[in-house]
Amino acid sequence: MRARSLTTTLAFAFAATTLAVFAMVGSFVYFALERQVRVQDDLDIVLAARHTRRLAEELQNFADIRRFNERLESQVLGNEALSIGIADASGKLLLQHNLGGAAEGLTPASARVPAAARITDNAIFAATAPDGDPLRILAVDAKLGDGTVATIAIVRNMRDRWLLLDRYRDRLHLAGVAGVLLTFAIGYFLVRRALSPLREMAENAAGVTVDKLDTRIAVEGVPSELEPLIVSINGMLAGLERSFQRLSQFTADLAHDMRTPLANMRGATEVALARPRSVDEYQALLASNLEECDRLSRMIENVLFLARAEHPQFSRHMREFEVAGELHRIAEYFEGLAEEAGVHLTVSGSGHLRADVELFRRAVSNLLANAVRHTPREGAIRLVACADAAGVRVTVENEGAPIDPLLLERIFDRFYRGDPSRAGGPASGSSGLGLAIVRSIMELHDGRVHAESDARNTRFVLSFPPQ
């Protein structure tokens, strides 16, 4: 199913709104005109009835009505829609003008205005002529000079008013239809023009490909309502570019690091197969290959951990623990490795931390293993915990060669090779991912890790936010 056009939808919305407004305004004007016409016609009827009754009351008898009929009929002359009829008490017509077939039964006693009563438009009633024309009638009694009562009926044929209102209504309908069509056309044009920046955005976005991730959508000249959207899209494109660059670099570094142990195993195996070897030589080859396999396993395990840590649903088991106690346990685990390397481990400080204990141990262990590798014999490694209002800080400090200040931030990148002595080459047994894992663990805890180095010591500081 094809999606609806936003331009057409908005144009239809404008047209529907215009139609609703036209309908309300047209109805108000139509009914206001109808009421004004009726009020004016009723006023004419009332005035004609009043004048006719005043003239009739000046007459002596029914004979005078016939004698002065022209004078009485003059009250409705000049308006072809007005008619007059005067009847005696028995209903016999004494005078009629323009009444036609509507003369009979037009003056029921219940609808007459008594001779002494004031004539108002409230006494006017509606009726229908035999030919179907609508009528408005006012019947009043007039007392003659001899005491007899004559009934005067003023009749207004409303056919011309109906025709007038019908034509007016038709014109309103025509104007409404024309207005709706015009509004739709103008609205379609204006909306299409107003949405042109969106089409330009779509064209620019279509130019973003894998080879052109640095493409950005121009913000200049667009409506202010679209600026937040464009800024968000550009931010998303920048994030995608950075992620793709990291992924490309990560893939290249991973391939490079995996190629080294594979090449070592392949080379050693080819040399061993070049000629018959002794059992000791084959055992040495297998031991070397086993070391390279262990290195590959650690590398794969670390890569999988980093991939899982970046997933939003990564599971953490948070609990509160005493930091110094965990540091002592980690130091005891590394005691044998430290003695073999000829370095001394010390633990100090205190504080409580709420974190994932396993991840905390892994982060500190990675830093401690890195420190053991780069501390000279007879050197010292210090594990220090400190808790204050700013949070909990765990410092792993070791003696040894300083790190170039330009590399202090980059050493946490995956597979970064800056200082060969700290790069985690084959001899070091490191996969080159230890510090990257530490940074990922700290990000999972909303903390940060940074390194400091001077001529004597190098410090890695884990900063946990306050609880």
Side-chain angles (χ1 to χ4, degrees):
M1 181 178 179
R2 186 177 180 181
R4 292 182 300 173
S5 167
L6 181 59
T7 302
T8 304
T9 301
L10 291 176
F12 272 122
F14 291 153
T17 303
T18 302
L19 178 61
V21 173
F22 276 14
M24 290 187 293
V25 173
S27 299
F28 174 79
V29 172
Y30 175 81
F31 289 116
L33 177 62
E34 182 184 32
R35 185 177 184 281
Q36 185 63 33
V37 168
R38 187 175 67 251
V39 169
Q40 185 62 47
D41 289 337
D42 289 350
L43 180 60
D44 293 340
I45 296 172
V46 170
L47 291 177
R50 288 176 180 176
H51 292 162
T52 304
R53 185 169 73 172
R54 187 176 66 252
L55 292 175
E57 288 175 346
E58 295 175 358
L59 302 177
Q60 292 297 318
N61 49 44
F62 293 142
D64 286 348
I65 292 177
R66 293 188 180 94
R67 185 181 307 118
F68 298 103
N69 59 348
E70 293 181 359
R71 183 180 179 186
L72 295 171
E73 291 173 1
S74 65
Q75 301 305 312
V76 296
L77 293 178
N79 190 340
E80 296 181 355
L82 281 177
S83 304
I84 186 173
I86 301 178
D88 58 16
S90 64
K92 180 181 179 181
L93 283 174
L94 303 174
L95 179 150
Q96 67 170 337
H97 173 77
N98 201 27
L99 206 55
E104 298 180 359
L106 298 179
T107 57
S110 60
R112 297 174 191 169
V113 179
R118 175 178 172 80
I119 301 174
T120 64
D121 57 0
N122 293 331
I124 299 175
F125 61 92
T128 303
D131 58 0
D133 290 344
L135 306 174
R136 289 187 67 77
I137 304 170
L138 177 57
V140 300
D141 288 338
K143 190 174 183 180
L144 304 181
D146 60 0
T148 57
V149 177
T151 300
I152 303 171
I154 304 297
V155 182
R156 178 61 163 87
N157 191 317
M158 303 300 293
R159 178 177 178 81
D160 61 328
R161 299 307 192 193
W162 272 27
L163 294 176
L164 171 66
L165 293 174
D166 283 347
R167 287 193 297 270
Y168 186 74
R169 184 173 59 249
D170 292 340
R171 287 171 182 165
L172 285 177
H173 290 164
L174 181 61
V177 172
V180 168
L181 294 177
L182 183 61
T183 303
F184 176 81
I186 295 176
Y188 187 89
F189 171 77
L190 294 178
V191 171
R192 182 172 179 81
R193 181 166 184 155
L195 293 180
S196 58
L198 287 178
R199 291 192 293 274
E200 294 176 2
M201 288 175 55
E203 293 174 359
N204 293 337
V208 179
T209 61
V210 176
D211 300 328
K212 298 180 179 179
L213 287 176
D214 58 341
T215 302
R216 299 293 181 269
I217 300 175
V219 182
E220 296 77 11
V222 301
S224 58
E225 292 81 2
L226 294 180
E227 286 186 9
L229 174 62
I230 296 177
V231 171
S232 299
I233 293 177
N234 286 339
M236 179 188 68
L237 292 175
L240 289 175
E241 182 184 12
R242 290 192 299 270
S243 299
F244 189 80
Q245 289 176 349
R246 287 199 301 266
L247 179 61
S248 299
Q249 184 65 38
F250 175 71
T251 303
D253 293 340
L254 179 61
H256 178 272
D257 276 60
M258 294 186 69
R259 183 173 57 187
T260 300
L262 290 174
N264 292 339
M265 288 190 293
R266 181 184 180 88
T269 303
E270 288 177 347
V271 171
L273 294 177
R275 61 181 178 81
R277 304 285 179 176
S278 65
V279 174
D280 293 338
E281 290 176 324
Y282 282 128
Q283 288 180 343
L285 172 63
L286 293 176
S288 175
N289 287 349
L290 181 60
E291 290 180 0
E292 298 297 342
C293 289
D294 290 339
R295 183 182 176 192
L296 283 174
S297 297
R298 289 193 301 271
M299 186 183 302
I300 293 172
E301 179 186 355
N302 291 334
V303 169
L304 290 176
F305 174 83
L306 289 173
R308 288 194 299 266
E310 291 180 351
H311 196 277
Q313 303 300 324
F314 184 80
S315 177
R316 294 177 299 163
H317 304 284
M318 310 290 285
R319 68 179 180 88
E320 187 171 344
F321 57 90
E322 206 275 324
V323 181
E326 286 298 330
L327 294 181
H328 279 291
R329 277 188 282 273
I330 296 172
E332 290 176 1
Y333 178 80
F334 278 86
E335 187 174 345
L337 183 62
E339 290 180 357
E340 183 180 345
V343 298
H344 306 285
L345 292 178
T346 61
V347 178
S348 63
S350 62
H352 287 79
L353 176 65
R354 180 175 177 78
D356 186 309
V357 178
E358 295 300 326
L359 295 181
F360 175 82
R361 291 172 180 170
R362 184 163 189 170
V364 176
S365 297
N366 285 357
L367 294 179
L368 189 54
N370 183 71
V372 170
R373 284 196 298 271
H374 300 294
T375 302
R377 299 189 68 82
E378 303 304 325
I381 300 176
R382 289 171 289 278
L383 302 180
V384 182
C386 177
D388 54 27
V392 176
R393 293 188 305 278
V394 176
T395 303
V396 179
E397 182 179 6
N398 69 284
E399 300 174 355
I403 303 176
D404 189 337
L406 299 178
L407 306 181
L408 288 178
E409 288 298 325
R410 301 194 63 186
I411 58 176
F412 294 99
D413 294 342
R414 301 174 185 179
F415 298 110
Y416 178 71
R417 295 293 182 264
D419 184 356
S421 66
R422 292 180 176 269
S428 69
S430 171
S431 64
L433 294 172
L435 295 181
I437 290 176
V438 173
R439 182 171 64 178
S440 295
I441 292 174
M442 294 308 297
E443 289 175 352
L444 287 172
H445 290 84
D446 297 325
R448 60 183 296 268
V449 58
H450 70 280
E452 303 170 354
S453 186
D454 53 34
R456 296 186 58 187
N457 299 306
T458 296
R459 291 171 295 280
F460 287 86
V461 182
L462 304 179
S463 300
F464 293 87
Q467 306 301 312

